[in-house]
Amino acid sequence: MFQSPKILLRAYGVTIVVTVAGTAAGLLLTAMTGWVLSRSDYRFNRQATFYVFFTMLFGGGLVPFYILMTQYLHLKDSLLAVIIPGLLSPFHIMVMKGFMSKIPFEMIESAKVDGSSEMRIFFTMVLPLSTPALTTLGLTIAFNYWNEWFNAMLFIDKPNLATLQLLLVRMLSTIEYLTANTEFVKQLGIDVGQLPKYSVRMAMAILAAGPMLCIFPFFQRYFVSGLTLGSLKG
Amino acid sequence: MRRRFSFLRGKNGELSVLFLPGFLFFLVMSYIPMVGIVIAFKDYNLRKGIFGSEWVGFDNLKFFFVSDTAWRVTRNTILYSLSYIVLTLVVSLALAILLNELTRRWIKIHQTVMFLPYFLSWVLVSYISNAFLDHQNGFLNALLKSVGMQPVEWYFGAAYWPIILNLVHLWKAVGFNVLLYYAGIMGIDQSYYEAARIDGANKLQMALKITIPLLAPLVTILLILSIGGGCSAEISACTISFRTIRGSSIRRRTLSTPTYSARSARSATSPCRPRWASSNPSSASCSSSAPTWSSASSTKKTHFGNREGPACPRSKQPQTPAPRPSCRPRGPKRSIPVRSTGG
């Protein structure tokens, strides 16, 4: 019933794919949007800023979102359903914008005088210049993807697409259900004793947390410096 | 072809192209579901779709408000968020102040330990709390048994949960908030503490009379944000960004420079010059709050301005413009004795 090594490895793979793809795409999109919003000389700056930050205050709620994702975008049982919703967040864009608005405008202007296009300015100047913000936000986004389970729970039913966190949720809730209804389960012919032992479950939790626990101390200083980015240290 | 896409050329066109993916994202992920909320007022039928279904007005909401759940659920939400906010605020503020008293190495260790839960997913947090609360294997029940008490079925008693939820939330959120407050404390000018030490204040007095009043603006912001935001992750992300924006907007609006020597150089580029810096007083075209701020900061030794500062001294300083003499940087003050000796 639980061939844990295979399932676990599979879940690891899925989670890593989601995290890497989501972080790369999300970071690029965040940087692009943040850069446009930080350009006060952009003609539609006000509208664009309002457009993005309005979503911070109001949302459609879960049900319309679910219907949209499953019936109109047909993303059920697709990893895109886990990746796409986490790509952009107004909060991340805000941080990015705050950082990028401190890039001296004279630099941009001099590049323009030299005949560079906006695209080129963005990719060859702005992106390298905002490495500190990119590191911090990249880590934040990566952590979010690694810890993401809600969208996975909503949209992923196929067991071979389950992410690590989803696996843990499913395991916890299933076992809790089975042990809470022992009588009923016995009638079904499932031996409760065969369920993963308590310590095994906890071991899996450790495995799921493991990489983050290992990585975290090394990246903590990026977080700390990222938090103090801009407003705190000037 | 080239002419048709000419609107994509030029500065605004290219920036629009850069903005396009974000535009589409928010359109699909946020705005379309917002329209979809009309589903609440419809008798939703899968085959007819959202817009084809019949309009039933408030019928769907009737049962909720007729039942007594409406009141209970609302009360629970309010009470929970209130206790989350207050508890996190008090505990992390206290911890941040205590953290400030440690040596550098210990700060690092404490920070890591407190910050760690912030990066665990709620799933893992539920596993960890399960390790404590499990009926047969949990730590808490084992502890109760070893003391000779009856084990408690934590998962079946409603009364325990307000406490459990609060503790778990605190455990997860405290590290991040401590970090924010600690960063705020680091931004406080050390000369306040020096002065207090000379006057013979003890640590507690310093914390109560200096640290907390100077952190008040930060606390206010975090409070407002945490009232607005739902989950802790969003709150925290929001706070970072809000502080960034706040800092930069203040910096743009007012003058805040690291040292006096740099001030005149900076004020030339600043869009808003303080009165004392401009040769002609009428050329000071900034908003009324600006001179107040610059004067407030100039009375202190301001490396405030460029650091976390902007928010801090505001609370201490009166909002009314300070009298002219105190507006001046130290230069003129120092020149008084010089003049007197010369004369």
Side-chain angles (χ1 to χ4, degrees):
Chain A
M1 190 173 168
F2 288 92
Q3 299 135 338
S4 43
K6 217 172 159 190
I7 294 175
L8 195 65
L9 283 180
R10 174 97 199 166
Y12 254 115
V14 171
T15 307
I16 288 170
V17 167
V18 166
T19 307
V20 171
T23 309
L27 207 51
L28 182 67
L29 286 185
T30 309
M32 278 160 73
T33 317
W35 171 238
V36 175
L37 295 193
S38 75
R39 285 286 295 268
S40 49
D41 59 326
Y42 174 47
R43 193 170 136 212
F44 307 108
N45 183 287
R46 287 176 66 89
Q47 290 89 330
T49 311
F50 178 80
Y51 180 80
V52 169
F53 294 138
F54 183 72
T55 61
M56 223 153 64
L57 303 173
F58 297 99
L62 192 56
V63 176
F65 177 66
Y66 183 81
I67 292 173
L68 174 83
M69 291 288 276
T70 52
Q71 297 200 348
Y72 294 95
L73 303 178
H74 303 289
L75 287 177
K76 197 147 177 74
D77 275 328
S78 152
L79 282 187
L80 283 179
V82 186
I83 294 176
I84 290 179
L87 281 179
L88 276 178
S89 131
F91 305 107
H92 296 163
I93 293 175
M94 231 177 179
V95 177
M96 203 49 136
K97 179 191 163 187
F99 183 84
M100 283 176 161
S101 57
K102 274 191 238 89
I103 294 176
F105 191 66
E106 289 79 4
M107 277 170 85
I108 310 305
E109 255 181 353
S110 69
K112 266 200 196 159
V113 169
D114 289 345
S116 173
S117 68
E118 291 288 343
M119 289 287 171
R120 195 153 161 220
I121 291 175
F122 175 71
F123 283 105
T124 56
M125 287 177 66
V126 176
L127 276 190
L129 276 175
S130 42
T131 324
L134 287 176
T135 342
T136 314
L137 278 181
L139 282 168
T140 316
I141 296 174
F143 271 112
N144 282 345
Y145 272 116
W146 188 273
N147 288 337
E148 154 49 55
W149 59 276
F150 191 67
N151 286 325
M153 195 181 76
L154 285 180
F155 300 116
I156 304 271
D157 283 339
K158 275 189 202 156
N160 63 344
L161 285 182
T163 60
L164 209 49
Q165 309 287 340
L166 180 62
L167 195 70
L168 290 175
V169 179
R170 289 256 160 87
M171 206 164 62
L172 193 67
S173 57
T174 315
I175 291 175
E176 224 150 62
Y177 176 76
L178 291 180
T179 46
N181 303 292
T182 329
E183 289 302 310
F184 173 70
V185 173
K186 265 183 194 156
Q187 282 175 356
L188 288 177
I190 300 171
D191 186 5
V192 182
Q194 271 189 345
L195 295 173
K197 295 259 161 48
Y198 193 72
S199 47
V200 175
R201 278 187 268 156
M202 287 304 160
M204 276 183 80
I206 295 287
L207 280 178
M212 287 296 114
L213 292 183
C214 295
I215 291 173
F216 167 72
F218 298 103
F219 285 111
Q220 193 200 357
R221 66 193 178 95
Y222 289 110
F223 274 108
V224 176
S225 64
L227 290 179
T228 53
L229 200 95
S231 63
L232 293 171
K233 289 271 144 48
Chain B
M1 197 67 172
R2 199 173 216 191
R3 204 185 298 149
R4 186 178 296 168
F5 290 104
S6 62
F7 64 91
L8 292 182
R9 308 195 155 268
K11 182 185 76 188
N12 289 322
E14 283 185 75
L15 286 178
S16 299
V17 173
L18 278 178
F19 184 62
L20 189 66
F23 176 82
L24 288 178
F25 177 87
F26 285 110
L27 183 71
V28 174
M29 289 292 139
S30 304
Y31 285 95
I32 290 179
M34 263 183 234
V35 179
I37 202 81
V38 295
I39 202 174
F41 307 105
K42 295 206 163 196
D43 183 16
Y44 181 61
N45 186 322
L46 203 59
R47 239 179 303 146
K48 290 180 190 162
I50 291 178
F51 295 103
S53 302
E54 274 133 60
W55 184 266
V56 293
F58 285 92
D59 273 10
N60 289 335
L61 306 178
K62 213 189 261 164
F63 88 96
F64 177 67
F65 287 106
V66 167
S67 67
D68 58 344
T69 349
W71 155 241
R72 204 174 57 210
V73 171
T74 318
R75 184 202 62 188
N76 285 354
T77 309
I78 292 172
L79 280 184
Y80 270 125
S81 11
L82 211 70
S83 57
Y84 286 164
I85 290 168
V86 172
L87 205 64
T88 315
L89 170 76
V90 172
V91 173
S92 42
L93 196 57
L95 284 176
I97 290 171
L98 292 178
L99 205 61
N100 197 28
E101 303 296 328
L102 294 171
T103 58
R104 194 144 192 88
R105 220 182 74 219
W106 282 106
I107 287 175
K108 190 97 193 151
I109 293 169
H110 280 82
Q111 248 181 12
T112 311
V113 170
M114 281 192 287
F115 207 18
L116 185 63
Y118 179 75
F119 291 103
L120 298 179
S121 69
W122 277 109
V123 180
L124 281 169
V125 174
S126 79
Y127 265 71
I128 293 166
S129 45
N130 181 255
F132 276 95
L133 303 172
D134 192 80
H135 183 52
Q136 285 155 358
N137 307 309
F139 296 145
L140 282 184
N141 276 348
L143 197 72
L144 286 179
K145 272 186 218 159
S146 69
V147 197
M149 287 163 76
Q150 280 294 312
V152 181
E153 293 197 315
W154 301 103
Y155 282 100
F156 293 99
Y160 312 118
W161 281 91
I163 299 165
I164 297 173
L165 286 178
N166 268 309
L167 282 180
V168 170
H169 182 272
L170 180 67
W171 182 70
K172 199 169 184 301
V174 80
F176 189 86
N177 285 285
V178 165
L179 195 72
L180 286 180
Y181 288 125
Y182 179 66
I185 291 175
M186 294 300 285
I188 295 175
D189 194 335
Q190 284 302 314
S191 51
Y192 289 118
Y193 296 101
E194 267 164 42
R197 222 170 288 131
I198 290 168
D199 289 346
N202 60 25
K203 294 272 185 199
L204 184 67
Q205 283 170 327
M206 281 193 231
L208 291 179
K209 298 274 153 80
I210 298 175
T211 314
I212 291 181
L214 286 185
L215 280 184
L218 176 63
V219 172
T220 322
I221 295 172
L222 291 184
L223 265 184
I224 292 169
L225 286 172
S226 53
I227 290 168
C231 86
S232 62
E234 275 170 353
I235 294 169
S236 46
C238 192
T239 48
I240 322 169
S241 44
F242 197 82
R243 285 153 60 82
T244 314
I245 283 180
R246 189 186 153 89
S248 60
S249 70
I250 287 173
R251 211 167 302 139
R252 218 175 297 127
R253 205 149 40 77
T254 67
L255 182 84
S256 48
T257 45
T259 56
Y260 295 121
S261 54
R263 174 161 281 156
S264 53
R266 200 57 100 71
S267 67
T269 58
S270 166
C272 149
R273 307 171 74 183
R275 277 192 198 128
W276 47 264
S278 61
S279 51
N280 180 6
S282 64
S283 76
S285 59
C286 32
S287 62
S288 64
S289 74
T292 316
W293 161 246
S294 61
S295 67
S297 66
S298 69
T299 51
K300 309 283 167 267
K301 216 182 90 205
T302 7
H303 44 269
F304 256 148
N306 246 14
R307 283 245 212 108
E308 149 48 14
C312 292
R314 234 196 192 165
S315 66
K316 269 241 147 160
Q317 293 301 323
Q319 286 297 308
T320 51
R324 276 303 280 280
S326 73
C327 247
R328 296 174 179 235
R330 232 176 250 162
K333 273 185 199 159
R334 219 182 284 133
S335 73
I336 294 168
V338 173
R339 213 180 291 151
S340 62
T341 51

